[in-house]
Amino acid sequence: MRELDRDHAVQRLQMAYAEGLLDAGEMETRLEQALTARTPGTLATALADLPDEQVVLAFLGGRLKRTGAWRVPRTLRLVSEYGHAKLDLSRADIGYPAIEIALELEYGSARLILPRRATVDLSGLQSAWKPPVYRNSTRPGAGTLHVQVSGKMGYGRLKIRHRS
């Protein structure tokens, strides 16, 4: 069991307690479970029935860049009026088999870099101007990451590619 996974579980439990989703006794029990977990299944039990984590990255203009070993939430909302975002998922710490990236790009743009064998579903994305550019040069593999891209792009632009 990775220490990073335990730390993340403890943070989620603390947030749930702070939001009033767990009482003190339940928090104590789940923390003990998370800290002594030896398998991902035991860790998942400690987090059972907590809401999925969602992060909103909102910016008016400029550049937003996430690369390297950053932690990707289950749902990531990217909101930009004029800015440009680069989200490199190829080396990111993703604890889920599937994630959702919800875009709200008015005039802004986004570039997604995916792991080699990840799959992408763009069916939930509406584009008023130009369709997304997606270069799929690899075949998906069993048990790999699936990325659901949804949302709305006015005059924004989305480019997706796999890590070469």
Side-chain angles (χ1 to χ4, degrees):
M1 179 96 297
R2 296 183 319 169
E3 194 63 35
L4 187 62
D5 293 334
R6 277 196 189 96
D7 291 345
H8 179 67
V10 168
Q11 288 173 357
R12 285 196 59 205
L13 290 168
Q14 289 170 336
M15 290 272 279
Y17 178 71
E19 292 170 4
L21 299 172
L22 300 174
D23 63 30
E26 184 70 15
M27 169 70 168
E28 192 174 317
T29 302
R30 289 183 186 220
L31 270 177
E32 183 178 346
Q33 244 182 335
L35 293 171
T36 59
R38 293 180 186 249
T39 66
T42 307
L43 198 56
T45 302
L47 300 174
D49 73 358
L50 293 181
D52 278 342
E53 81 184 299
Q54 176 179 335
V55 172
V56 178
L57 299 175
F59 58 108
L60 180 62
R63 296 189 180 276
L64 172 78
K65 187 176 182 179
R66 296 287 188 269
T67 60
W70 64 289
R71 181 171 271 296
V72 180
R74 168 69 186 93
T75 302
L76 178 65
R77 278 190 53 223
L78 183 63
V79 181
S80 176
E81 192 76 24
Y82 299 102
H84 175 74
K86 176 183 178 183
L87 303 176
D88 186 346
L89 304 175
S90 65
R91 294 183 181 96
D93 181 15
I94 305 171
Y96 307 95
I99 62 170
E100 179 183 1
I101 299 177
L103 301 175
E104 294 175 33
L105 302 175
E106 189 60 38
Y107 296 96
S109 63
R111 184 167 37 153
L112 300 178
I113 302 169
L114 306 174
R116 283 197 176 120
R117 298 176 68 81
T119 58
V120 178
D121 181 359
L122 297 168
S123 63
L125 183 65
Q126 300 172 6
S127 178
W129 186 48
K130 289 187 175 183
V133 175
Y134 175 43
R135 298 183 189 126
N136 184 4
S137 58
T138 61
R139 289 188 202 155
T144 59
L145 175 66
H146 178 71
V147 180
Q148 172 73 44
V149 180
S150 63
K152 201 178 345 181
M153 298 187 313
Y155 294 98
R157 189 67 191 257
L158 172 63
K159 293 182 180 181
I160 303 172
R161 71 176 178 86
H162 290 266
R163 173 62 63 194
S164 37

